[in-house]
Amino acid sequence: MNLLQLRHSLRVRLLVGTLCWIAASILVAGWGLGALFRQHVTAQFHAELASQLDQLSAQFTRDEQGRPQLTQLPGDPRLTRPYSGYYWQIDQLARGAPAQAGAVGQLRSRSLWDHVLTLPTDVLSDGATHQHRVMGPQGQMLEVAERSLRIAQGPDGPARTFRLITAANQDLMLEPVARFNGMLWLALGVLAAGLMLAAVVQVRVGLAPLRTLRSALAKVRQAETQQLEGAFPAEIMPLIEDFNKVLAQNAEVVARARTHAGNLAHALKTPLSVLANAADAAHRQGPATATLAQLVTDQVAIARQEVDYHLTRAQVAASSRLPGARTELQPVVDGLIRAMHRIHAERQLTLTAGPFAAVLGFRGEAQDLQQMLGNLIDNACKWASHRVEVQARRHAGTLVITVDDDGPGLAADQRDRVMQRGVRTDEQVPGSGLGLAIVDDLARLYGGQVRLADSPLGGLRAVLELPALA
């Protein structure tokens, strides 16, 4: 997973986690506050019914004929307005009978108009209070509080049991709860939107250092710098420092690998040279040793090819992934052209290169570019009749270098074959047959490639594609 994918994954996880936490908190808060308010309103509603029942009990008495009466009617104007939703009623109960027996609705509030409340069957002890939910006038669902009172007629008169009832429309309790819940969820929705927006901003700001880190890594990858540079929070500075240490250690390992590769080359070439000289001497001594001498000479040549190939490949494999390496194209090409003028001076070739744009460069080691271009230009000089041209351009982040010659060219069916190690199309031309194979291997190690095509000059064109500087 690269840094961009890591940052995206962290952003998604943080956002999802934060948004889920916000949603859960809002739901819990909404449900809790709604339940508390509903409980409060319900308690207040029943407390008001109980208070009205207490007032009704305090004002209740019997006249001289034993009929129930109130010393003073309740002063709440809602009890006088028909079907207002607030009601009271007094029933006379028969002795020992259930609640609905006796004279129902002997006294009732004017708000009931011509309606009489009918309560469920139950047995009330003196002074006991019960609560019910019954259907009232005009289909209203009522919350009811009832209480039984036993009152005697005069000092020596018989005692009778009465039931006092207060009731109120349930909607008067539910409507405030519904309004409160609507306002509550609207407020919580606005709060949730604000918190979610704040969470998005917080996550974006919190992950901003990763964007900076990604930019710094891109500069290292594009060879603009050798280490991570920039302003980072103190929390991730240990990571930056450790990463820079890894880069420094990597560069040290590459340098050590190059040194070891060079030492190995010298260590192997010396005994190979001794064997080659001994084989030449034995070959001159006569036919008796000529066969052995030729065998030694051939095997030494093969060993040298293998050493050259694998050492070169090992050196580039060690440096091809080294971050921060950058090489300008123009100085390398100019140096190679001067060298080729001296090497092929007797052929009087015309070698031209560029000029190249100043931004053209290779994202890799200079000696690797010299190795690849040197092989291609040298190969072109060997086969050219009069002229070799080197051109370069940048295309879609790739450095495209072309080397053209005006030689005999190469048939299309032979182009893939000459890329193989040790294959030569003409034994008369000096060389080991490793040049194009090495170039192809090195280019691939850098994520590039080399192709052969027809040249506008009439010979062969070698196209080398490598990662370009940004």
Side-chain angles (χ1 to χ4, degrees), residues 56-121:
L56 202 63
S57 301
Q59 297 163 2
F60 177 72
T61 186
R62 295 176 66 184
D63 61 13
E64 295 177 354
Q65 288 76 32
R67 293 174 298 186
Q69 67 175 7
L70 296 177
T71 58
Q72 182 180 354
L73 292 176
D76 192 336
R78 295 174 296 183
L79 296 172
T80 61
R81 188 169 65 250
Y83 309 133
S84 64
Y86 288 89
Y87 313 103
W88 61 266
Q89 178 175 299
I90 298 177
D91 300 339
Q92 181 177 333
L93 303 180
R95 182 177 300 178
Q100 77 269 22
V104 177
Q106 278 196 322
L107 290 178
R108 61 182 186 272
S109 65
R110 185 172 181 77
S111 57
L112 278 172
W113 200 245
D114 56 355
H115 188 85
V116 177
L117 298 177
T118 302
L119 271 62
T121 300

Side-chain angles (χ1 to χ4, degrees), residues 127-448:
T129 301
H130 287 188
Q131 292 183 346
H132 300 284
R133 184 173 296 170
V134 300
M135 188 65 68
Q138 296 184 329
Q140 298 176 359
M141 183 59 67
L142 304 180
E143 292 283 339
V144 177
E146 64 168 340
R147 176 183 297 162
S148 67
L149 291 179
R150 187 175 178 81
I151 301 179
Q153 182 181 359
D156 302 320
R160 302 295 300 271
T161 301
F162 296 88
R163 178 171 59 185
L164 282 63
I165 302 169
T166 56
N169 189 350
Q170 189 182 47
D171 291 343
L172 299 174
M173 175 181 64
L174 299 180
E175 286 178 0
V177 174
R179 288 195 301 270
F180 175 81
N181 285 338
M183 296 177 62
L184 173 65
W185 287 112
L186 177 61
L188 290 178
V190 174
L191 177 63
L195 289 176
M196 290 179 180
L197 179 61
V200 172
V201 173
Q202 182 180 12
V203 170
R204 185 170 181 83
V205 172
L207 294 181
L210 287 182
R211 291 195 297 273
T212 306
L213 178 58
R214 177 171 174 254
S215 300
L217 283 174
K219 291 181 178 179
V220 173
R221 187 173 59 253
Q222 294 168 2
E224 296 181 14
T225 181
Q226 297 261 342
Q227 288 191 328
L228 294 179
E229 298 175 349
F232 298 98
E235 291 78 8
I236 65 172
M237 277 307 297
L239 173 64
I240 303 301
E241 293 172 356
D242 290 343
F243 197 89
N244 284 335
K245 289 179 181 178
V246 171
L247 291 176
Q249 290 174 356
N250 192 23
E252 183 180 349
V253 168
V254 169
R256 192 182 302 121
R258 288 184 178 276
T259 301
H260 289 331
N263 293 339
L264 180 59
H266 286 294
L268 290 176
K269 286 182 178 180
T270 300
L272 288 176
S273 298
V274 172
L275 288 174
N277 293 334
D280 289 340
H283 194 279
R284 289 193 296 269
Q285 290 176 3
T289 58
T291 302
L292 177 60
Q294 186 60 45
L295 177 62
V296 172
T297 300
D298 294 340
Q299 294 304 312
V300 167
I302 294 173
R304 281 176 171 171
Q305 291 178 3
E306 294 293 334
V307 168
D308 290 341
Y309 176 78
H310 287 290
L311 285 179
T312 301
R313 197 176 191 279
Q315 286 178 330
V316 177
S319 63
S320 61
R321 301 302 178 186
L322 181 63
R326 54 187 294 124
T327 302
E328 293 183 7
L329 180 62
Q330 186 77 58
V332 172
V333 174
D334 290 345
L336 290 173
I337 292 296
R338 289 193 297 270
M340 294 303 163
H341 271 300
R342 293 192 296 268
I343 294 172
H344 300 279
E346 74 284 353
R347 301 193 58 203
Q348 297 183 348
L349 297 174
T350 301
L351 280 69
T352 59
F356 307 121
V359 295
L360 285 180
F362 165 53
R363 199 166 69 239
E365 293 288 323
Q367 61 191 59
D368 298 332
L369 181 61
Q370 292 172 350
Q371 178 81 0
M372 290 181 280
L373 271 183
N375 275 302
L376 292 180
I377 298 175
D378 183 53
N379 187 70
C381 291
K382 290 175 181 177
W383 293 96
S385 298
H386 303 287
R387 185 174 184 82
V388 174
E389 292 184 357
V390 180
Q391 299 294 332
R393 59 189 175 88
R394 192 177 188 275
H395 175 70
T398 301
L399 176 64
V400 182
I401 306 172
T402 59
V403 180
D404 293 292
D405 65 70
D406 60 352
L410 190 63
D413 58 350
Q414 293 182 315
R415 291 171 186 169
D416 290 337
R417 183 170 171 267
V418 297
M419 290 294 182
Q420 300 175 10
R421 180 157 47 101
V423 174
R424 299 173 59 190
T425 58
D426 190 344
E427 297 294 335
Q428 301 302 317
V429 178
S432 62
L434 293 177
L436 292 178
I438 289 177
V439 174
D440 185 52
D441 269 358
L442 302 191
R444 291 180 185 278
L445 285 173
Y446 277 102

